[in-house]
Amino acid sequence: FSKLSAINQDLPPNVLFTSEDKADSYDPIDMAIGEGFILIITKDGKLIVRGDNFRGQLGISGKVIQVFEPTEVNLPAPVLEASCGHNFSVIRTADDRVFGSGAHNKGQFGALALEPKSGHTKRYDSITSFYELITGCDTCIGVRAGKTFTLFADADMRRIYGAGKNHSYQLGLAIYEDELVSIPTLVFDLGLASPSKSEKLLQIKAGHLHTLY
């Protein structure tokens, strides 16, 4: 995870960490890439961010629009999973809480319940907890971000909840009054297809305008 290869082979790889950055102290084990920004999870559960922060996607509050050096973002528990959308981030911690930051103009976090009645919150500039919004989901054990939507997996890996844009039916909701799903909504239930509780989903994936279980 020390290098991010360039698409253009004539360009050298973009080195994310150098010896001056004390890369060994980070000990990265996983990473997620958004549009112009990156999230890195370290072995000890730290979240390291770098890149564009125009919409608050790095979870660094204030007026910082770009982060040029690897920077740690504090969370209340070690980070297990991180996923990037177009310009927002979703993070799951060891206590199975869900956090997010960045653009919410398409309802990506399903955070309508947190917002004032006077208007729609278009972005979250700092890390915000959205765990309590996933009603019906006892414990979230998986998160995936698509371009402008988010998927949440229930503890039994048999139910998937989604929020955000659904204009191409990327959430799997064939009939919906609005293309924006403003609260986390059950979009897939394996129990309807397979009564056997021993059968579970192994992975969930979110693409640009599609999902795969």
Side-chain angles (χ1 to χ4, degrees):
F1 300 107
S2 61
K3 294 182 179 180
L4 178 65
S5 297
I7 294 176
N8 186 338
Q9 297 302 315
D10 294 332
L11 298 176
N14 177 21
V15 179
L16 298 178
F17 293 126
T18 67
S19 57
E20 295 178 356
D21 294 324
K22 299 181 179 180
D24 290 340
S25 66
Y26 290 132
D27 198 7
I29 60 171
D30 201 2
M31 65 180 180
I33 299 174
E35 184 69 23
F37 68 102
I38 186 169
L39 309 179
I40 295 175
I41 301 174
T42 67
K43 187 176 182 179
D44 56 358
K46 294 178 181 178
L47 181 68
I48 308 299
V49 302
R50 188 174 184 178
D52 290 341
N53 192 47
F54 295 99
R55 302 299 299 274
Q57 56 264 54
L58 297 182
I60 298 175
S61 59
K63 297 183 179 180
V64 178
I65 60 173
Q66 285 185 309
V67 175
F68 295 100
E69 299 296 330
T71 302
E72 182 179 349
V73 176
N74 293 323
L75 284 118
V79 175
L80 296 181
E81 191 174 15
S83 189
C84 299
H86 181 65
N87 46 25
F88 70 99
S89 303
V90 186
I91 298 122
R92 182 174 66 91
T93 54
D95 54 359
D96 291 321
R97 296 174 66 190
V98 177
F99 296 85
S101 65
H104 189 245
N105 57 317
K106 306 300 182 184
Q108 291 94 315
F109 302 124
L112 185 63
L114 290 180
E115 298 176 354
K117 295 181 179 179
S118 58
H120 177 59
T121 302
K122 301 295 185 182
R123 58 188 278 180
Y124 288 85
D125 290 321
S126 58
I127 295 291
T128 303
S129 173
F130 298 106
Y131 169 77
E132 63 275 12
L133 300 180
I134 314 173
T135 57
C137 184
D138 298 328
T139 303
C140 180
I141 63 165
V143 291
R144 287 292 184 273
K147 181 182 179 182
T148 52
F149 65 96
T150 306
L151 302 174
F152 310 91
D154 200 359
D156 59 6
M157 282 301 284
R158 289 172 60 81
R159 291 176 293 175
I160 305 294
Y161 295 79
K165 202 163 185 180
N166 188 52
H167 66 297
S168 294
Y169 306 113
Q170 54 266 54
L171 292 178
L173 299 174
I175 301 176
Y176 208 79
E177 294 180 357
D178 194 329
E179 67 176 29
L180 297 184
V181 180
S182 57
I183 60 174
T185 301
L186 182 66
V187 298
F188 181 81
D189 187 348
L190 185 59
L192 298 178
S194 174
S196 174
K197 293 185 178 181
S198 63
E199 191 170 3
K200 302 179 184 297
L201 297 171
L202 296 178
Q203 296 185 51
I204 58 173
K205 298 293 184 180
H208 184 73
L209 293 174
H210 62 284
T211 59
L212 181 67
Y213 314 135

